[in-house]
Amino acid sequence: MKNRYDEKEAQAFVGAYPNCPPELALRVYTSRLLGAEDDLVLHGGGNTSVKCTITNLVGEAQDILYIKGSGWDLGVIAPQGFPGLDLAYLRKLRQVRDLSDAEMVNQFRTHLQDAGSPNPSIETLVHAFLPQRFIDHTHADAIVTLTNREEAEKHLHAALGDNIGILPFIMPGLPLAMAMAELYERNPGIDCIILKNHGIFTFGEDAKTAYDRMIECVSRAEAYLAKRAAGATASPVVDPGVVQPAVVLPILRGGLSFVEESGRRRTMQLEVRRNQELLAALARPDAKELFVGGVLTPDHVIRTKNYPLWLEAAGLDEEETKAAVHSGLARYQEEYDQYFATQTEAKKVARTKLDSMPRIALLPGLGVVAAGFTRKDAMIAADIAEHTIAAKLLGAPLGPYRELGQASIFDMEYWGLEQAKLGKAKPKPLEGRTALVTGGGGAIAMGIGRKLLEAGARVFMTDINQERLEVVCHNLADTFGSRMVSPLLMDVTSEEAVQLGLEQLVLDCGGLDILVPNAGIAHVAKLAELSEAAFRQVMDVNCMGVFQVIKGAIPIFKRQGIGGSIVINSSKNVFAPGASFGAYSASKAGAHQLGKIAALELAEFGVRVNMINADAIFDDGGVSSGLWDVVGPERMRSRNLDPEGLKDYYRQRNLLKTTVHADHVGNAVVFFASEQTPTTGATLPVDGGIMAAFPR
Ligand code: ZN
């Protein structure tokens, strides 16, 4: 592992934070160096600290421990990410025999320098009791690869030498801090302390020494592993056969969905990783035995559960795939429930059981599939799974994997303070759901996308016009993050293009919950002047396009087996057509009727189909409506109005004398998609009230 310390950069940090002690600025610098290495810490893992003497408000010198705050990531940490605590007081806690998690956090919070600080790390007391000024702690892949082996001590000494301390796994908190301090006091010259099945602590009187030692130890462990791997015989690879992602992913996603006690359905986002190394690793004859063991470090259990689900789906047809996924999931849940029952009974504790669903599935021939209630959660789980597979593979020549006992895993997974957070944050109504909006390059799509994103859904926007699509997607991504919005170039009139687009969507997130056929074009001409070509083109997009996407989505809905929602952006024209608008009105009426047929045919699969009839929406946040770009000039000419006058005309003609915005259509889509009423086959006008267009 490369040592990234650079004296000039270090001094630049001291200069950049003139209002904090220079040691803290250097602490920020080397923490970020650690955080920059995925092989050291992943997604908020690891922690660092520094001890400084400051002058407090009443002019006294006071020793302060600055330690990483919970919720901060070492890679981007800043001085405010290090809550300062009264070090002298913390050290007195060594006299205490028993300290509950809640009391420990209370002690931290009541001895903070700044009442507004985030909670200090749960490993704060370890940092407080060790004497050195700088302490670095990571869950380095190479180190846990060595510790999680039957002969861990032999390997650790062979890799790192004898000047190290080794402790068995102990839960973070007072007992771990005591054990660490006692070990150090017995062996004051050691370079580092290794915690089995957890990670490594290095230390020093200055920032550079603690960091150098971390990189040195990890590099030695890496070199040792590389040497052992080079000497091992290469594993044969068996061809697992073909797996159809388009079939297995929606089935798996449906199987992972469950209904909470409250009656609320939870659905997850899937994240698929399938590079050559992963596929080769999963194709080894010993792959199952190598990779289904427990986590590398207990931190990961919150993200990935202890065990992945092993799923063999290669060469199976759809019915067999369904049976394999459902029996695999049933077995997994049974084992998880058993583990929960055994541990709560053995420990004589009452805990709120978390869901029993796996977060990682390993599928030979397909790759790693991670699941999470949000896309971020799924991505974090996938990153951890990739590191875990690489570490278990590298450690294979060292002898059998030794996972952490279930009693310790339970303590981490059901840690009291995590339990206290349960049920407090109410998930957004569409969290975990995926939506596809066609006609994604227009004003209405922007409103629909915005409201779906606000409600927590992940949104795919499709259009045939890349430029317009990118404008809308960038606009939405600015507010909601690029992780949640994906552009998908797609011609809705082509069966093949729709098929390919939906396959891409399934590979990206596992399935679909909400389909919004919204693509539409207009053409202004009286029937006498309407050309066949123009009529066909409008029919093709507005009617055939709706048919194609609905037809394409049906297999996904069926494979998932958890219902779904189709919301068609219809038109007030369906009930109140206009002269010179034959192609548009007829095509929209056709699509509207298709929606009613879909409601009839898809109810048995729990899929609801509803229509929204909106009146004129001209633009949204600088994005124009493609339809009104065509229709507007003619309407203005025929009524002798300017653009503002036209908007006013449409406002004045409805009962509520109101302007209809794209967000209003978005709200209607979210209403249907969040299944607040048992409604299908219905039409909701979003038009300010136009009597001629009342649904009937
Ligand atoms: Zn740790």
Side-chain angles (χ1 to χ4, degrees):
M1 180 168 284
K2 189 168 177 266
N3 188 315
R4 296 167 183 256
Y5 195 95
D6 178 292
E7 194 52 48
K8 258 199 203 136
E9 269 185 40
Q11 287 315 313
F13 269 78
V14 175
Y17 299 116
N19 296 327
C20 70
E23 296 96 327
L24 180 54
L26 291 168
R27 177 68 283 173
V28 170
Y29 172 57
T30 58
S31 299
R32 287 201 194 168
L33 295 183
L34 297 174
E37 293 284 358
D38 278 357
D39 292 345
L40 286 180
V41 291
L42 268 178
H43 301 294
N47 45 63
T48 56
S49 70
V50 61
K51 301 175 181 81
C52 301
T53 306
I54 58 138
T55 306
N56 67 18
L57 207 59
V58 287
E60 294 165 352
Q62 193 182 4
D63 290 336
I64 300 290
L65 173 75
Y66 291 100
I67 174 133
K68 192 193 93 160
S70 85
W72 279 84
D73 199 307
L74 288 181
V76 295
I77 201 159
Q80 64 270 32
F82 287 95
L85 296 108
D86 180 346
L87 179 62
Y89 180 82
L90 288 183
R91 285 184 163 157
K92 286 183 199 160
L93 292 174
R94 251 186 110 167
Q95 307 154 16
V96 175
R97 288 299 108 197
D98 193 28
L99 190 60
S100 71
D101 292 337
E103 187 50 51
M104 181 173 78
V105 172
N106 181 47
Q107 290 297 313
F108 294 165
R109 285 223 67 85
T110 49
H111 291 85
L112 282 170
Q113 207 191 3
D114 176 346
S117 293
N119 273 337
S121 159
I122 55 165
E123 277 149 3
T124 294
L125 292 179
V126 171
H127 292 255
F129 293 176
L130 288 173
Q132 289 87 350
R133 190 179 294 274
F134 286 84
I135 296 175
D136 294 16
H137 167 50
T138 73
H139 307 144
D141 288 354
I143 298 294
V144 292
T145 301
L146 295 177
T147 68
N148 297 17
R149 294 286 145 193
E150 232 163 67
E151 297 182 298
E153 275 163 56
K154 183 187 97 179
H155 294 305
L156 285 167
H157 284 299
L160 305 179
D162 290 328
N163 204 24
I164 59 173
I166 303 176
L167 278 177
F169 180 82
I170 302 170
M171 262 299 280
L174 186 63
L176 175 62
M178 301 266 215
M180 291 272 291
E182 282 159 20
L183 176 73
Y184 183 81
E185 283 156 12
R186 284 198 307 274
N187 312 276
I190 50 178
D191 292 335
C192 67
I193 295 178
I194 311 262
L195 292 181
K196 285 209 227 165
N197 291 86
H198 180 156
I200 176 170
F201 284 81
T202 57
F203 19 74
E205 280 309 303
D206 57 81
K208 185 169 183 302
T209 302
Y211 173 76
D212 285 348
R213 282 182 177 162
M214 178 64 74
I215 301 302
E216 176 65 25
C217 287
V218 173
S219 300
R220 280 195 218 166
E222 285 175 341
Y224 178 77
L225 286 166
K227 207 167 133 198
R228 298 292 296 243
T233 45
S235 161
V237 168
V238 286
D239 179 9
V242 180
V243 183
Q244 300 285 357
V247 174
V248 73
L249 292 174
I251 293 174
L252 178 60
R253 182 165 184 266
L256 286 168
S257 176
F258 60 94
V259 177
E260 284 179 342
E261 247 172 56
S262 65
R264 182 195 163 92
R265 176 170 282 286
R266 302 303 303 268
T267 308
M268 298 202 228
Q269 290 287 309
L270 303 189
E271 172 83 7
V272 180
R273 302 281 166 91
R274 49 183 334 205
N275 59 46
Q276 281 312 311
E277 291 84 42
L278 284 176
L279 289 171
L282 294 175
R284 289 169 61 117
D286 56 354
K288 185 175 179 186
E289 187 190 326
L290 278 181
F291 303 127
V292 295
V295 288
L296 293 178
T297 183
D299 235 24
H300 294 171
V301 79
I302 315 290
R303 302 291 192 174
T304 63
K305 293 258 158 93
N306 196 26
Y307 299 116
L309 169 70
W310 182 262
L311 209 52
E312 286 171 16
L316 304 184
D317 68 20
E318 187 159 341
E319 279 315 301
E320 292 165 339
T321 303
K322 227 175 237 177
V325 169
H326 289 145
S327 69
L329 282 171
R331 204 165 41 243
Y332 188 97
Q333 293 179 76
E334 211 175 286
E335 283 167 13
Y336 185 87
D337 293 348
Q338 186 61 48
Y339 143 80
F340 180 79
T342 308
Q343 294 303 325
T344 42
E345 196 171 311
K347 292 171 192 288
K348 306 216 179 317
V349 291
R351 290 283 184 271
T352 307
K353 191 166 95 53
L354 305 169
D355 71 80
S356 327
M357 292 295 179
R359 293 298 186 274
I360 303 294
L362 306 178
L363 288 90
L366 190 138
V368 172
V369 183
F373 290 129
T374 64
R375 182 164 192 224
K376 186 180 174 193
D377 288 347
M379 290 170 98
I380 289 175
D383 288 346
I384 292 173
E386 277 199 60
H387 278 262
T388 303
I389 287 174
K392 286 177 176 175
L393 199 57
L394 205 53
L398 271 51
Y401 186 74
R402 216 204 57 181
E403 64 180 39
L404 192 57
Q406 297 222 334
S408 301
I409 290 291
F410 181 87
D411 287 343
M412 281 305 285
E413 192 174 4
Y414 286 89
W415 193 48
L417 295 170
E418 288 296 330
Q419 284 268 305
K421 289 187 207 157
L422 289 180
K424 287 203 175 142
K426 200 172 165 230
K428 292 178 176 174
L430 298 179
E431 188 182 272
R433 306 293 203 278
T434 294
L436 178 80
V437 182
T438 70
I444 298 188
M446 190 139 100
I448 296 172
R450 184 186 297 121
K451 291 296 165 180
L452 286 167
L453 286 157
E454 272 176 20
R458 180 172 175 202
V459 176
F460 288 78
M461 305 287 273
T462 82
D463 206 291
I464 196 169
N465 183 327
Q466 184 161 12
E467 219 174 297
R468 289 186 69 107
L469 181 60
E470 277 175 8
V471 169
V472 171
C473 287
H474 282 152
N475 198 311
L476 293 173
D478 278 350
T479 310
F480 300 96
S482 56
R483 206 166 28 213
M484 298 301 283
V485 191
S486 307
L488 205 56
L489 210 58
M490 190 166 105
D491 175 0
V492 290
T493 67
S494 153
E495 183 171 14
E496 197 194 349
V498 168
Q499 195 62 38
L500 286 173
L502 290 173
E503 277 174 19
Q504 182 59 49
L505 173 142
V506 165
L507 201 56
D508 277 0
C509 68
L512 179 68
D513 307 290
I514 302 153
L515 174 67
V516 188
N518 165 68
I521 57 171
H523 183 78
V524 184
K526 289 194 169 139
L527 295 182
E529 284 101 41
L530 179 58
S531 74
E532 183 185 326
F535 185 66
R536 278 191 194 282
Q537 200 199 0
V538 174
M539 285 300 287
D540 226 23
V541 176
N542 294 6
C543 187
M544 183 66 82
V546 172
F547 164 71
Q548 294 291 12
V549 292
I550 291 180
K551 188 179 175 196
I554 289 172
I556 305 176
F557 287 133
K558 283 190 184 173
R559 284 170 184 146
Q560 287 180 153
I562 50 171
S565 200
I566 298 175
V567 188
I568 299 174
N569 183 16
S570 198
S571 167
K572 79 152 236 312
N573 271 60
V574 170
F575 297 114
S580 296
F581 226 34
Y584 182 82
S585 301
S587 60
K588 280 290 190 183
H592 197 92
Q593 196 75 333
L594 276 177
K596 292 184 183 173
I597 303 298
L600 295 174
E601 293 179 359
L602 300 182
E604 64 171 303
F605 308 107
V607 178
R608 299 147 186 243
V609 188
N610 292 290
M611 279 64 78
I612 294 170
N613 285 6
D615 197 15
I617 290 159
F618 299 88
D619 47 37
D620 182 276
V623 173
S624 69
S625 152
L627 191 138
W628 276 89
D629 290 345
V630 173
V631 177
E634 189 273 338
R635 288 284 190 270
M636 284 186 270
R637 253 196 320 274
S638 69
R639 295 185 178 112
N640 206 10
L641 294 167
D642 62 2
E644 278 315 304
L646 188 68
K647 285 184 186 176
D648 191 53
Y649 167 79
Y650 278 96
R651 187 161 51 236
Q652 292 307 327
R653 83 171 181 180
N654 67 53
L655 294 167
L656 297 172
K657 309 285 176 223
T658 187
T659 303
V660 182
H661 295 292
D663 277 357
H664 296 141
V665 180
N667 286 336
V669 169
V670 169
F671 168 73
F672 284 129
S674 52
E675 303 187 352
Q676 298 180 51
T677 58
T679 304
T680 190
T683 301
L684 180 63
V686 180
D687 59 4
I690 296 177
M691 199 178 82
F694 283 176
R696 56 190 176 267

